[in-house]
Amino acid sequence: MMKNKKWIGLVLAAALVITLAACEKKTQPQKPQEPTTTQPTEPQKDTAAKIESRGQTWEKTADDGFRVLSAAIGLPKVTLANGETPMNLTNYYDNLLEKYLTQAQESGEIALEEYADDQTSGLVFTPYDLEADFTAACNRRGLLSFCRTVTEFTGGAHESRVILGESWVLRDGDFYLLSLEDCFEEPEKAKTAIRDLIKQQAAEKAKTEDGYYFENYEELLDSAWSEGEFYFTENALCVVYQEYSLGPYLSGAQVFELPLAQLPNLKTELK
């Protein structure tokens, strides 16, 4: 009887081992989680990111070899302190590069037509030009801010120049683009302070340089303000007004540098 019990116990143990092995083989690996598009709430206080320039040049030539358009595009390439690539930021500038190249190609066709017309009319054609470049205005802790310039000539008396800004905050291993409201605990209170500081600086400039602004520049300071056109330096928030917004072409684009110490309720992660 003892032998039978021992034999039954061995059979049951073997069956249990076979069952567990079968279950292990049938277990499927879990699918990876889909990336979230929601910004994490906690900033990541990393060291400064590594910033390089990635560029591309392109040109359009006529059949006789004359260059009718040249383009030189320079945009940020960012690597985190741990060597990883921030995908949100990288995708943003990938798309921007494609946009600029498409713009250059479309302008190249127009330039080709104008060149042919000028050849027929005996006029001198001035080649078109598109140039985009950037500087890293701020790169500290989890804050990264770029000031970009886009200069374009498509005929006429002079070229046009646009100043653009993008500011990014590092959270959970990726950078997220900031709006102006994202930067302050009380956005409306901050906007009032920003307007006041800009008006003070503009009034001082108007006193020293006659004709620098249009006569109604005080009204234009409100109506021409675009909240998305800003960037950070180490100690200031820079607000941009594009050329012709406040004054004549010779005055160029206006950049108002507002000390961070004078702005209320700036979020701690941006200080």
Side-chain angles (χ1 to χ4, degrees), residues 38-269:
T38 303
Q39 291 193 20
T41 55
E42 292 300 321
Q44 183 172 327
K45 295 178 175 57
D46 258 355
T47 56
K50 179 182 178 182
I51 303 172
E52 301 172 282
S53 177
R54 55 167 180 169
Q56 189 164 343
T57 59
W58 186 85
E59 65 179 30
K60 182 72 173 180
T61 57
D63 291 339
D64 60 4
F66 184 84
R67 177 180 52 80
V68 298
L69 179 144
S70 61
I73 312 301
L75 291 171
K77 177 183 178 182
V78 176
T79 306
L80 299 178
N82 61 8
E84 295 182 355
T85 300
M87 295 310 300
N88 282 339
L89 183 147
T90 300
N91 290 338
Y92 180 91
Y93 290 113
D94 281 346
N95 293 333
L96 198 55
L97 177 59
E98 184 177 346
K99 173 186 173 182
Y100 284 138
L101 290 176
T102 299
Q103 178 182 338
Q105 291 164 6
E106 292 173 351
S107 296
E109 294 301 323
I110 297 172
L112 196 60
E113 293 178 6
E114 185 175 328
Y115 173 69
D117 291 342
D118 287 353
Q119 289 288 93
T120 302
S121 304
L123 301 176
V124 176
F125 174 80
T126 303
Y128 286 15
D129 186 71
L130 174 64
E131 182 177 347
D133 203 359
F134 75 96
T135 58
C138 184
N139 181 17
R140 58 174 169 77
R141 294 176 64 187
L143 177 63
L144 182 57
S145 194
F146 296 113
C147 173
R148 296 193 299 106
T149 57
V150 181
T151 307
E152 186 175 15
F153 177 79
T154 55
H158 47 69
E159 65 188 17
S160 65
R161 182 170 179 262
V162 177
I163 299 176
L164 302 167
E166 289 104 19
S167 295
W168 304 80
V169 64
L170 182 63
R171 293 188 176 113
D172 292 350
D174 209 341
F175 279 103
Y176 294 86
L177 189 62
L178 292 169
S179 68
L180 187 65
E181 291 193 352
D182 291 333
C183 301
F184 298 92
E185 299 292 350
E186 298 181 55
E188 293 306 317
K189 184 176 180 180
K191 290 177 189 178
T192 298
I194 289 170
R195 287 191 182 94
D196 290 343
L197 288 171
I198 290 174
K199 289 176 181 178
Q200 291 173 18
Q201 292 187 13
E204 291 298 320
K205 190 76 172 179
K207 290 178 183 178
T208 58
E209 296 193 38
D210 187 44
Y212 191 79
Y213 295 125
F214 296 134
E215 290 184 1
N216 64 334
Y217 81 92
E218 292 177 320
E219 298 174 10
L220 295 173
L221 285 171
D222 286 327
S223 62
W225 182 29
S226 175
E227 292 184 11
E229 296 182 351
F230 73 93
Y231 59 90
F232 286 96
T233 63
E234 292 295 329
N235 300 305
L237 171 70
C238 297
V239 176
V240 180
Y241 286 79
Q242 302 301 340
E243 59 185 22
Y244 292 119
S245 294
L246 301 178
Y249 175 78
L250 290 178
S251 298
Q254 308 295 309
V255 179
F256 295 91
E257 296 189 19
L258 314 179
L260 296 181
Q262 297 182 29
L263 297 178
N265 301 304
L266 185 69
K267 288 187 176 179
T268 303
E269 61 189 294

